[in-house]
Amino acid sequence: MKFTLSWLKEHLDTDADLTAILDCLNRIGHEVEGVENPGAALAAFKVARVLTAERHPQADKLQVLTVDAGDGEPLQIVCGAPNARAGLVGVLGLPGATVPANGMVLKVAAVRGVESNGMMCSSRELELGDDHDGIIELPEDAPVGTPFPDYAGLDDPVIDVSITPNRQDCMGVRGIARDLAAAGLGTLKPLDATPVATSGAGPEVRIEAPEGCPAYFGQTVSGVTNGAAPEWMQRRLKAIGQRPISALVDITNYVMIDLGRPLHVYDKAKLSGALTVRKAKPGEQVLALNEKTYTLDETITVIADENGVHDIGGIMGGEETGVSETTTDVVIECAYFEPEAIARAGQKLLLTSDARTRFERGVDPAFLEDGIAIAARLVTQICGGTASDVTRAGAVPKVGITTGYDPKLAETLGGMAIPAERQRDILESLGFTVQPLDANGDPCELTDACDGFRVTAPSWRRDVDGPADLVEEVIRIEGIDKVPSTPLPRAPGVAKPTATPEQKLERRIRRTAAARGLNEAVTWSFISESEAQAVGGGAWTLANPISEDLKVMRPSLLPGLMMAAARNVKRGATSVRLFELGRRYLAGGEKLTLTVLLAGDRSPRGWANGKAQPFGAFDAKGEALALLEAAGAPVGNLQVMGEAGAAWHPGQSATLRLGPKTVLAAFGMLHPSLTKTFDLDGPVAAVEIFLDAIPAKRANGFARPAYTPPALQAVTRDFAFIVPSTLAAGDLVRAVKGADKAVITDARLFDLFTGAGVEDGKKSLAVEVTLQPGDKSFTDAEIKAVADKVVAAAAKLGAVLRG
């Protein structure tokens, strides 16, 4: 919400300076986002009069001027403007001034051999308009020597305030002035809403959709001249970034920003029959003022006549009935649209406007009468014409609750004791009606025996819903900075740990991943439909997303990490190692997941290794096992089984499971079609660890006895087996390790061989087995018995001891 300081003072009678106003705005909850003073950039420009104008001796299109800048000494200026002439009063930029349009710093310089001491400026050069055909021409009586910002009224700071969504009353300058007055910064000036003299019947209006538009006021003004708006109005609109269009359009924009009351004007000659407020017919279309065509449905409230739709109610008018320079008769619309209906229609059409912003927050329904009176007065004063009677269709809804209020709540809820009389004054200054009550609930005078208030909220404060909101208003105006700091009570002794087991697990996983050289990423929990479809599709889709790119709740963390990896690769990263700990959103609920993505080079090129080495499936497996171990999973009991799914590369991916059903992780290479979808070149390895599937630790006692170092040295034996080429090495190692659990403490694969001496369809796997004696050393017979068990266990998988 932007407004100028002078605009604010149209409603607020105050002697406060800009700094005091800004401090007060921040203090009462209206955060000041910025302040700009357009006049500051023009401080070095002055009103000046051209005394003489002679042709430049070296250039036909240039003139040499003598200019009076009010200092007593005429200055020589070289000028190429065609309208430069003796007697003209314009704007002079002196040496040292910076031209806003191009940043050029003026200085004394020779132009074609003639010295020039500044520049006479055009509107475009000062960024005051688009006119560049000549220099600015001011009235003859403009005071020479006066700083141009002072003369033009440009020394008027523009204040930009962030209005919270619940404060719809402050979407107009008057609402902000009311809050400042309540805070003691001045007095709110009375608003002149005297109706203009009227003649004749008003326009014909019908309401067929009161659920979308309960009340519609219309008034005709005949015989208008739609020229340019007054300079003061244009100046204020320009200052806040609004482009002046014509007097009629500018009046509606001005009233909307000044009073928070959106309006619309129709060219009456372009209407046919009565204006009807109705629901759109399915497939009906309208060409809006933004020159875009919108297809409507039966949920959208529109304003139409016999020829069709001319206005998307409360959001944007239509191009076909818009006013132009030839308009002579207009119909002024001042209506109340239901906020919820406006919000749904705007979201459906993806159409935003200043009117929608105000209507969907809720404008003051009681201001219809005053709003159309003020609009009609401005139209007749600026454009002339005669106003008709006002047509009032529908019923103005009543808003503003009445509730009981105990002044003691300011202390119990807000933390600050404020006298009841002061609270009454604050609420009344904000427009609330306050009636003191006695113990029986009857009206009384405000005394110490007063038992509370009956408070009625004004029609412009639909956000107030109960006593807690009244406390907020009282504390806000009295000063949040005055609320005393009160420490929370703390129990004596050492604080108890509060982290849950899940939080401890997340902390441990993050530290382990970072220690392994992975970089943590935090990506959006929402992705587009196409991105979700690439990993199997999402179960949850938003009906009203912020963006189509953030529409589906992610079923996997892979899309976000792949997009992050692609951004890094495009910016020159040769090795990307990312991890994210977050939640997937599946049909069965939220699932805590750790996902790792490895892209680019695992090791750079060098003299020792030659070419750069990419990441492979075994790199992903190593990360999966290390992170699962950190998470407390029984890594030694895991089985490598099957393909990981459609998103993974067949034959280069697998799952880690506890038994055939409990999947703890998926790892391997991503499918090339998936990486191509996310604009990633080359192989990409990844890991998905499903933390919710890891078995929980026992609640009581220890899962195993305390570790006792063995007294005797372990014995190792090597076994080489010929096995089918389809047999997974992990299955063999697991079988060997389980051959004698009392003696065999470890088994690991140390060699894989195919080739000479090994028939086709077979491979040789060599396993190192560790045997741990107990209270005495093994005998040869005991070792042989264990070896026989190992060979027998391997034979069950089709393995034959290699001779």
Side-chain angles (χ1 to χ4, degrees):
M1 176 69 190
K2 289 184 177 182
F3 53 90
T4 66
L5 181 60
S6 66
W7 198 342
L8 177 68
K9 291 186 176 182
E10 287 288 321
H11 296 279
L12 183 67
D13 187 2
T14 180
D15 294 328
D17 60 14
L18 177 62
T19 300
I21 290 173
L22 299 179
D23 289 344
C24 188
L25 285 170
N26 283 317
R27 189 171 64 250
I28 62 178
H30 300 311
E31 182 182 357
V32 178
E33 294 193 328
V35 180
E36 296 179 357
N37 189 349
L42 302 177
F45 294 83
K46 289 186 175 183
V47 177
R49 185 187 303 276
V50 179
L51 301 177
T52 64
E54 303 291 341
R55 188 176 68 84
H56 192 290
Q58 303 296 330
D60 293 338
K61 294 184 178 181
L62 297 178
Q63 297 187 76
V64 180
L65 314 178
T66 55
V67 177
D68 178 12
D71 297 330
E73 292 291 332
L75 298 173
Q76 180 173 280
I77 306 292
V78 176
C79 181
N83 64 330
R85 63 187 183 278
L88 179 145
V89 179
V91 180
L92 172 66
L94 296 172
T98 301
V99 180
N102 54 26
M104 180 177 67
V105 179
L106 300 178
K107 58 184 179 180
V108 178
V111 180
R112 292 288 187 92
V114 176
E115 184 180 272
S116 180
N117 296 277
M119 182 175 75
M120 298 296 289
C121 302
S122 68
S123 295
R124 184 188 296 178
E125 288 163 339
L126 299 186
E127 294 186 337
L128 299 176
D130 295 329
D131 184 13
H132 195 58
D133 294 334
I135 57 179
I136 296 173
E137 294 192 36
L138 301 178
E140 286 286 331
D141 58 353
V144 173
T146 303
F148 179 63
D150 294 345
Y151 168 77
L154 297 175
D155 191 16
D156 192 7
V158 178
I159 305 169
D160 187 3
V161 176
S162 176
I163 305 299
T164 55
N166 64 313
R167 292 305 307 277
Q168 67 282 343
D169 58 305
C170 288
M171 291 300 291
V173 179
R174 185 167 182 81
I176 294 173
R178 182 188 296 110
D179 266 17
L180 289 171
L185 213 65
T187 304
L188 186 67
K189 296 180 180 180
L191 184 65
D192 183 9
T194 305
V196 298
T198 61
S199 175
E204 185 180 357
V205 177
R206 294 195 297 265
I207 295 180
E208 297 179 358
E211 67 277 12
C213 177
Y216 187 105
F217 287 13
Q219 188 170 18
T220 301
V221 181
S222 303
V224 301
T225 301
N226 188 23
E231 189 275 334
W232 62 268
M233 182 178 288
Q234 290 192 49
R235 185 172 65 247
R236 286 181 178 173
L237 292 175
K238 287 179 182 177
I240 63 171
Q242 292 275 351
R243 180 175 63 90
I245 298 173
S246 67
L248 290 170
V249 175
D250 293 350
I251 288 169
T252 63
N253 288 334
Y254 184 81
V255 172
M256 175 177 64
I257 297 164
D258 187 49
L259 303 172
R261 159 42 64 183
L263 303 165
H264 186 61
V265 288
Y266 301 92
D267 188 330
K268 186 180 179 182
K270 299 176 182 178
L271 296 173
S272 178
L275 284 172
T276 304
V277 181
R278 61 173 174 83
K279 292 296 184 181
K281 300 172 184 177
E284 219 168 6
Q285 293 187 326
V286 60
L287 176 62
L289 287 171
N290 62 1
E291 300 181 350
K292 295 182 179 179
T293 299
Y294 294 90
T295 301
L296 313 173
D297 63 28
E298 65 279 3
T299 66
I300 298 174
T301 303
V302 298
I303 317 299
D305 64 4
E306 295 176 357
N307 293 330
V309 177
H310 297 301
D311 188 347
I312 305 172
I315 299 179
M316 188 171 289
E319 182 73 27
E320 294 180 358
T321 56
V323 296
S324 65
E325 65 277 2
T326 61
T327 298
T328 57
D329 302 324
V330 296
V331 175
I332 303 174
E333 168 192 298
C334 185
Y336 178 78
F337 295 92
E338 283 293 341
E340 292 80 7
I342 291 295
R344 287 193 295 268
Q347 291 163 1
K348 183 170 292 186
L349 298 174
L350 300 178
L351 176 58
T352 59
S353 66
D354 289 331
R356 173 193 164 183
T357 300
R358 288 161 174 81
F359 274 124
E360 70 181 357
R361 296 186 182 195
V363 301
D364 181 6
F367 196 70
L368 289 172
E369 201 75 57
D370 290 348
I372 200 164
I374 292 170
R377 186 179 72 246
L378 287 172
V379 169
T380 55
Q381 287 178 350
I382 295 171
C383 303
T386 303
S388 71
D389 293 337
V390 177
T391 300
R392 301 170 180 85
V396 177
K398 293 183 178 180
V399 296
I401 66 159
T402 298
T403 183
Y405 176 67
D406 184 353
K408 297 184 181 65
L409 289 174
E411 182 173 13
T412 58
L413 286 183
M416 183 162 52
I418 303 174
E421 184 175 0
R422 171 60 180 156
Q423 294 191 50
R424 181 191 63 180
D425 292 343
I426 289 174
L427 292 172
E428 288 181 342
S429 66
L430 290 171
F432 293 84
T433 302
V434 181
Q435 174 61 61
L437 303 175
D438 60 21
N440 297 320
D442 297 324
C444 67
E445 295 297 322
L446 183 59
T447 64
D448 292 339
C450 174
D451 200 57
F453 297 150
R454 180 187 295 118
V455 180
T456 300
S459 57
W460 58 81
R461 291 303 300 272
R462 70 190 297 266
D463 59 301
V464 174
D465 194 39
D469 294 322
L470 299 177
V471 172
E472 180 182 348
E473 293 302 299
V474 169
I475 299 296
R476 180 175 67 87
I477 297 301
E478 183 67 11
I480 297 176
D481 55 324
K482 295 180 182 179
V483 177
S485 298
T486 304
L488 294 173
R490 181 175 179 178
V494 179
K496 296 181 179 179
T498 59
T500 65
E502 185 181 73
Q503 290 171 327
K504 293 177 180 178
L505 171 63
E506 291 183 19
R507 187 182 304 163
R508 189 165 63 250
I509 287 285
R510 281 193 171 94
R511 289 178 176 174
T512 302
R516 293 185 61 81
L518 301 175
N519 298 304
E520 184 172 11
V522 179
T523 64
W524 293 107
S525 295
F526 300 92
I527 56 179
S528 69
E529 284 185 302
S530 60
E531 292 162 354
Q533 196 62 39
V535 290
W540 304 98
T541 301
L542 298 183
N544 178 31
I546 297 175
S547 165
E548 286 298 311
D549 291 335
L550 300 172
K551 188 173 184 179
V552 180
M553 300 185 77
R554 63 185 180 193
S556 169
L557 277 63
L558 285 173
L561 288 177
M562 283 190 283
M563 287 186 283
R567 285 192 295 271
N568 281 275
V569 169
K570 289 177 181 178
R571 285 160 177 77
T574 58
S575 182
V576 178
R577 304 164 186 253
L578 299 177
F579 81 92
E580 181 172 11
L581 184 60
R583 282 160 175 77
R584 297 176 299 137
Y585 302 93
L586 308 179
E590 299 180 16
K591 303 295 182 181
L592 183 64
T593 305
L594 174 69
T595 301
V596 176
L597 189 128
L598 308 170
D601 299 337
R602 176 173 60 85
S603 58
R605 64 180 182 176
W607 65 268
N609 299 321
K611 293 182 179 180
Q613 300 298 313
F615 289 103
F618 288 104
D619 295 309
K621 183 180 180 182
E623 297 296 340
L625 292 174
L627 294 169
L628 280 168
E629 186 173 13
V635 175
N637 299 331
L638 295 180
Q639 297 173 268
V640 178
M641 298 179 65
E643 308 293 346
W648 301 83
H649 196 305
Q652 298 185 33
S653 60
T655 58
L656 291 170
R657 308 188 184 205
L658 280 175
K661 294 183 178 180
T662 306
V663 181
L664 268 58
F667 70 91
M669 307 305 294
L670 295 179
H671 199 288
S673 64
L674 180 64
T675 58
K676 184 177 181 181
T677 298
F678 289 92
D679 202 18
L680 274 171
D681 295 328
V684 178
V687 178
E688 283 189 306
I689 298 178
F690 313 121
L691 297 174
D692 58 297
I694 298 176
K697 292 184 178 181
R698 296 181 183 179
N700 297 315
F702 293 99
R704 58 176 180 260
Y707 172 69
T708 303
L712 301 175
Q713 185 173 347
V715 177
T716 61
R717 289 292 183 268
D718 296 341
F719 298 84
F721 296 100
I722 300 296
V723 302
S725 59
T726 56
L727 179 66
D731 292 343
L732 178 63
V733 171
R734 191 176 300 105
V736 168
K737 190 174 181 180
D740 190 337
K741 295 181 179 179
V743 174
I744 299 175
T745 58
D746 192 19
R748 69 179 185 88
L749 181 74
F750 70 89
D751 185 52
L752 183 153
F753 176 76
T754 59
V758 178
E759 61 182 287
D760 293 340
K762 302 286 185 177
K763 60 184 177 182
S764 173
L765 299 178
V767 180
E768 180 187 78
V769 180
T770 302
L771 311 178
Q772 179 61 56
D775 55 354
K776 63 177 182 177
S777 300
F778 289 123
T779 64
D780 289 343
E782 289 172 335
I783 293 177
K784 184 178 184 307
V786 175
D788 291 341
K789 291 180 181 180
V790 170
V791 172
K796 294 178 181 180
L797 300 178
V800 178
L801 190 65
R802 188 174 178 185

